[in-house]
Amino acid sequence: MTFDLAPMLPLWLLITIAAVITIGAVYGFIRGARGMIWRALAVLLLLGWMAGPRSLHPVFKPVPQDALLIVDRSPSMQVGQRTALADQTASQIMQDAAHLPGLTLHRVDVPGGNGHGTRLFDAMDHADLPQGRFAGAIVVTDGMDHDVPAHLPARFHGPNGQMLPMHLLVTAKGEETDRRLRILSTPSYAIVGQNATIRLQVDDLGSPATTTATLTVRAGDAPPATRTIQTGQPQDITVPVQHPGETLVGLSVSTLPGEASQLNNSDVIRIRGVRDRLRVLLVSGVPNQSERVWRRLLKADPSVDLVHFTILRSPNTDDGTPLSDLALIPFPIRELFQEKIRSFDLIILDGFRNSNILPEEYLTNIADYVRKGGGLLVTAGPEFVQDGSLQDTTLAQVFPAHVPTDGIVTQPFRPGLTDLGKAHPVTAGLGNSSDWGPWYRSAKVDQSHGQNLMSGPDGSPLLLLDRVEQGRVAMLLSDQLWLWSRGEGGGGPQAELLRRLSHWLMKEPDLEENRLTARIENGQLLVERHALGQTTITPQAMVTLPDGRTHPLSMTGGKGLWTGTLPVSGNGIWTIRQDGLVAFASPVSQDALERQDLRATATVMGATANTSGGSQNWAGLSIPHLRQVQAGQDLSGSGWIGLPVSKAAVVGETRTQDLIPGWLALVLALGCLGIGWWREGR
């Protein structure tokens, strides 16, 4: 407020008259003239009124305002009718805002998820609003936010220091309860044949009482197992890991009566089964370059226990060497090939010529070891056509090929992949075979069977794989793989080839050429059937859903690969069977944080709303109406929420008010004249 004068006469004239009247009044007072002072005062009052003193008041008008309507669209809002209620609430608030002058309500839908949970305050901070026009925020949510700050953001502090409101509209009728299954710890790997320990806890959120719950555990094709556990306390369970590769363990807990959702009552654990210290027996003939390749490969793997023997000479060799110098220890034939042969996961015979070194019964033991599930890798070189060849023993019964006496070919050639080898998991993706370095010796066979993955001179078989009853055999028909390790002609993928070959012999699931795999991505069950060398398969796979229902799935494709898709939803383990093969699949949770607590609650954001001066409302009971309120008034009431109105002075526009009204000046002047007349009469 400011002051101003609006004189009826020139101001200098009024001042002059006032000065003359004042001097006259003083003179009259000195001369003893009664009433002179009062008459002068009456004239001065009239002169003061004629000077036009007045006050100037700025004119304030409401300024345009912007507010935020934050609508939670996170995955937890899909529980029950929350999304529909949120849309209804947001629609009514927008309609109310449309009738409020000067208010622009900006709606922001916050999707949430993506591994970061619900982040409503982050959306508020990044909202693009004009500076200085923020009036507050209205948040429509289930109340489960994951970025609630310790203090209100700076945007909620008004220009005059007042707090701007954040109104919380929760999409429920009141506080809810929820039972959740929480995995505290689980191993990523476990030894095949042993148990894996999983620590978990069941919590009843929003319910203070400790109760019991029924936990169901399902692993693979085994029947489900149940147990009773206490809620709110960590529990340890053990599950067997029976095969290499991924094992899916399904965990589910019984329902809490009245809980908000059962989505977090179950979970699926992935545990990869690994072998415990693979035991490999490597028997080499006379020292050669390839045995170094084998030793480096096997020694470089910390999970491999290698037993390696090199036969330097045959027992019937007579070169005059003293018997005491022939060996440091006796060759443990009986221990290796009879007593402990079943303890090995893989036997490698590299350049080995028997020459009466092993009795026939021990070679038969090796053949029986293969038939009962063992793995055997044989490299064939010149020793295969010499006296004492393994082809002349009972072990030849499990070999996939026979090399004739004139079968050794000595000429440069580049190993290549056959059509089958380009698709087989053991050799697929090893690179362009035209870039591989040359070899100079191979064994040409006169008969063979099994799977031919690599070709040698004139397209002859170079790498053969075969199954013998429960076991497997691989035969490499050359002893010059070591040339690749030296970079001959550019080298080749010897390390990866030998690694895959060894693991195929030890039945690694990912290297099976006849396998069934499944996974779930973006709500689709994707099933793949690999069947190399087969032209037809059963046209349908049978899918067992988590609830026990079955659904046929048509498979399409050919040339060794068939696929099928099926839309799925929910959590759990899907089981797929086809032609005696079985596969399991489960969706990977994209936002475990979002599923931790599925209640609708005001406990998480309520304190922040109260601090801002806002309110908490249960939209499931009634949706409040939006109105504008003057600064300093209540921001909420029964059935309504408010946003404060902000006003600013209008530039160039003021409101005036006379400090001395005319009627008052006249009354006072007449009063002074009356008093002066009365004084003069005395």
Side-chain angles (χ1 to χ4, degrees):
M1 183 177 63
T2 59
F3 297 95
D4 193 10
L5 297 174
M8 297 180 182
L9 296 174
L11 190 60
W12 63 267
L13 180 58
L14 294 175
I15 295 174
T16 301
I17 296 174
V20 172
I21 294 300
T22 302
I23 293 172
V26 173
Y27 177 77
F29 178 77
I30 295 173
R31 299 286 298 182
R34 295 182 176 183
M36 183 64 69
I37 294 298
W38 290 102
R39 290 189 181 94
L41 185 58
V43 175
L44 290 176
L45 282 171
L46 292 175
L47 291 174
W49 170 74
M50 294 177 68
R54 61 182 181 177
S55 61
L56 303 179
H57 300 269
V59 176
F60 289 91
K61 291 185 178 180
V63 298
Q65 291 180 288
D66 294 84
L68 287 174
L69 175 60
I70 304 296
V71 182
D72 188 353
R73 293 291 187 184
S74 62
S76 64
M77 287 292 292
Q78 299 175 7
V79 174
Q81 300 299 316
R82 294 178 187 176
T83 299
L85 183 55
D87 289 338
Q88 181 183 354
T89 302
S91 178
Q92 177 175 311
I93 296 297
M94 292 294 291
Q95 291 178 10
D96 292 343
H99 295 89
L100 298 179
L103 177 64
T104 302
L105 189 61
H106 302 264
R107 174 171 175 169
V108 179
D109 289 355
V110 183
N114 300 321
H116 301 290
T118 305
R119 307 189 67 83
L120 302 179
F121 284 90
D122 186 59
M124 294 186 209
D125 289 341
H126 288 85
D128 186 14
L129 297 179
Q131 187 71 22
R133 290 168 49 172
F134 184 61
I138 303 166
V139 183
V140 182
T141 176
D142 57 9
M144 198 54 62
D145 182 69
H146 300 100
D147 68 341
V148 178
H151 305 285
L152 274 170
R155 173 170 278 176
F156 286 88
H157 296 271
N160 298 324
Q162 81 278 14
M163 297 299 297
L164 299 175
M166 184 189 79
H167 296 289
L168 182 63
L169 306 184
V170 184
T171 54
K173 295 182 178 180
E175 291 289 340
E176 296 180 342
T177 59
D178 182 43
R179 172 171 286 177
R180 71 175 177 191
L181 172 65
R182 186 156 53 105
I183 306 301
L184 303 180
S185 64
T186 180
S188 300
Y189 298 88
I191 303 301
V192 174
Q194 298 185 11
N195 290 333
T197 300
I198 301 172
R199 169 159 284 199
L200 54 84
Q201 181 171 320
V202 177
D203 300 313
D204 288 343
L205 305 171
S207 177
T210 300
T211 60
T212 60
T214 301
L215 178 69
T216 302
V217 183
R218 174 190 171 194
D221 277 341
T226 61
R227 58 183 293 183
T228 301
I229 61 175
Q230 291 289 119
T231 61
Q233 299 179 7
Q235 308 282 331
D236 288 334
I237 63 170
T238 58
V239 293
V241 178
Q242 300 175 342
H243 58 80
E246 188 176 71
T247 296
L248 298 182
V249 181
L251 305 171
S252 61
V253 66
S254 56
T255 303
L256 175 68
E259 68 172 316
S261 173
Q262 300 180 29
L263 289 176
N264 54 359
N265 289 35
S266 61
D267 206 345
V268 176
I269 306 301
R270 289 171 165 80
I271 301 175
R272 179 163 290 277
V274 296
R275 296 179 183 270
D276 179 25
R277 305 297 299 176
L278 304 175
R279 299 201 66 199
V280 179
L281 172 61
L282 172 60
V283 180
S284 300
V286 294
N288 59 82
Q289 295 288 345
S290 62
E291 70 174 301
R292 297 184 181 180
V293 176
W294 282 112
R295 285 186 61 86
R296 277 199 300 266
L297 170 69
L298 297 171
K299 284 292 188 181
D301 191 341
S303 65
V304 171
D305 281 337
L306 175 64
V307 178
H308 183 200
F309 285 95
T310 300
I311 309 301
L312 299 178
R313 65 200 300 276
S314 62
N316 56 6
T317 300
D318 186 8
D319 55 9
T321 304
L323 186 62
S324 60
D325 295 340
L326 289 179
L328 299 177
I329 59 173
F331 188 47
I333 297 176
R334 178 180 178 83
E335 182 180 5
L336 291 178
F337 297 104
Q338 181 166 324
E339 297 177 0
K340 295 185 177 181
I341 188 171
R342 296 296 305 167
S343 67
F344 291 104
D345 298 292
L346 174 64
I347 296 176
I348 302 174
L349 301 179
D350 176 42
F352 176 61
R353 182 164 62 98
N354 191 35
S355 299
N356 299 322
I357 296 174
L358 297 180
E360 189 71 19
E361 63 175 305
Y362 293 155
L363 295 173
T364 302
N365 287 344
I366 298 177
D368 291 339
Y369 157 83
V370 173
R371 295 187 181 99
K372 293 179 181 180
L376 175 65
L377 173 60
V378 180
T379 61
E383 74 283 349
F384 254 63
V385 297
Q386 297 174 359
D387 292 338
S389 168
L390 292 176
Q391 295 187 125
D392 300 329
T393 68
T394 56
L395 189 57
Q397 298 173 5
V398 299
F399 287 171
H402 179 268
V403 181
T405 55
D406 59 347
I408 299 301
V409 178
T410 303
Q411 68 178 59
F413 70 95
R414 289 185 182 272
L417 294 177
T418 64
D419 291 339
L420 179 62
K422 294 175 182 178
H424 198 286
V426 171
T427 49
L430 288 179
N432 190 351
S433 59
S434 62
D435 298 331
W436 296 348
W439 294 355
Y440 300 96
R441 184 167 59 202
S442 67
K444 192 170 184 178
V445 303
D446 56 3
Q447 59 181 9
S448 65
H449 54 85
Q451 297 175 317
N452 179 25
L453 305 188
M454 296 177 63
S455 59
D458 302 325
S460 61
L462 187 61
L463 176 61
L464 292 169
L465 306 184
D466 194 21
R467 285 176 168 82
V468 180
E469 297 183 12
Q470 301 177 26
R472 302 184 179 190
V473 179
M475 178 176 284
L476 183 61
L477 294 160
S478 176
D479 59 351
Q480 297 207 325
L481 181 68
W482 60 272
L483 289 172
W484 279 353
S485 64
R486 292 198 173 183
E488 177 72 16
Q494 79 286 346
E496 181 63 15
L497 174 61
L498 295 180
R499 186 194 68 81
R500 293 187 191 182
L501 197 56
S502 301
H503 284 272
W504 179 86
L505 289 166
M506 292 183 286
K507 303 176 183 178
E508 178 69 29
D510 293 340
L511 294 173
E512 294 292 333
E513 63 272 29
N514 185 24
R515 65 189 187 277
L516 184 67
T517 62
R519 65 185 186 277
I520 295 178
E521 295 179 355
N522 301 321
Q524 292 285 328
L525 172 65
L526 309 176
V527 180
E528 290 185 352
R529 170 67 187 278
H530 296 261
L532 289 180
Q534 298 186 30
T535 57
T536 60
I537 61 169
T538 302
Q540 286 185 337
M542 190 59 64
V543 179
T544 303
L545 280 62
D547 59 7
R549 294 181 294 128
T550 59
H551 189 285
L553 176 62
S554 298
M555 304 291 287
T556 59
K559 296 183 179 180
L561 176 62
W562 288 263
T563 61
T565 61
L566 181 70
V568 297
S569 61
N571 298 315
I573 299 177
W574 277 255
T575 305
I576 303 91
R577 291 181 172 86
Q578 186 186 42
D579 296 337
L581 301 175
V582 62
F584 304 94
S586 177
V588 178
S589 176
Q590 298 298 323
D591 199 340
L593 182 62
E594 190 72 24
R595 294 179 53 196
Q596 283 188 359
D597 193 344
L598 294 175
R599 295 176 296 159
T601 178
T603 58
V604 176
M605 302 179 65
T608 305
N610 293 336
T611 301
S612 71
S615 61
Q616 306 174 36
N617 299 269
W618 297 100
L621 297 176
S622 64
I623 302 175
H625 288 279
L626 179 64
R627 64 174 63 169
Q628 290 174 312
V629 298
Q630 299 298 320
Q633 296 181 353
D634 291 339
L635 293 172
S636 63
S638 178
W640 64 273
I641 56 177
L643 296 175
V645 177
S646 179
K647 294 183 178 181
V650 180
V651 177
E653 185 176 346
T654 58
R655 179 173 53 85
T656 62
Q657 182 177 2
D658 293 335
L659 295 179
I660 305 177
W663 64 268
L664 180 60
L666 180 60
V667 170
L668 292 176
L670 291 175
C672 290
L673 288 175
I675 294 174
W677 175 79
W678 176 75
R679 288 286 297 165
E680 185 177 2
R682 293 177 64 92

